[in-house]
PDB file of all heavy atoms in Angstrom:
ATOM      1  N   LEU H  47      92.257 100.784 104.750  1.00  0.00           N
ATOM      2  CA  LEU H  47      92.129  99.417 104.257  1.00  0.00           C
ATOM      3  C   LEU H  47      90.875  99.261 103.392  1.00  0.00           C
ATOM      4  O   LEU H  47      90.920  98.678 102.306  1.00  0.00           O
ATOM      5  CB  LEU H  47      92.093  98.436 105.427  1.00  0.00           C
ATOM      6  CG  LEU H  47      92.041  96.958 105.068  1.00  0.00           C
ATOM      7  CD1 LEU H  47      93.237  96.550 104.217  1.00  0.00           C
ATOM      8  CD2 LEU H  47      91.993  96.120 106.336  1.00  0.00           C
ATOM      9  N   ALA H  50      91.225 100.888  99.996  1.00  0.00           N
ATOM     10  CA  ALA H  50      92.100 100.147  99.085  1.00  0.00           C
ATOM     11  C   ALA H  50      91.404  98.950  98.444  1.00  0.00           C
ATOM     12  O   ALA H  50      91.958  98.341  97.521  1.00  0.00           O
ATOM     13  CB  ALA H  50      93.347  99.672  99.837  1.00  0.00           C
ATOM     14  N   CYS H  63      94.559  86.580  86.122  1.00  0.00           N
ATOM     15  CA  CYS H  63      94.608  86.481  84.659  1.00  0.00           C
ATOM     16  C   CYS H  63      96.009  86.123  84.190  1.00  0.00           C
ATOM     17  O   CYS H  63      96.185  85.256  83.333  1.00  0.00           O
ATOM     18  CB  CYS H  63      94.175  87.798  84.021  1.00  0.00           C
ATOM     19  SG  CYS H  63      92.421  88.100  84.086  1.00  0.00           S
ATOM     20  N   ALA H  91      96.427 100.571 101.234  1.00  0.00           N
ATOM     21  CA  ALA H  91      95.757  99.905 102.358  1.00  0.00           C
ATOM     22  C   ALA H  91      96.411 100.261 103.689  1.00  0.00           C
ATOM     23  O   ALA H  91      95.736 100.303 104.724  1.00  0.00           O
ATOM     24  CB  ALA H  91      95.774  98.388 102.155  1.00  0.00           C
TER      25      ALA H  91
END
Side-chain angles (χ1 to χ4, degrees):
L47 183 58
C63 285

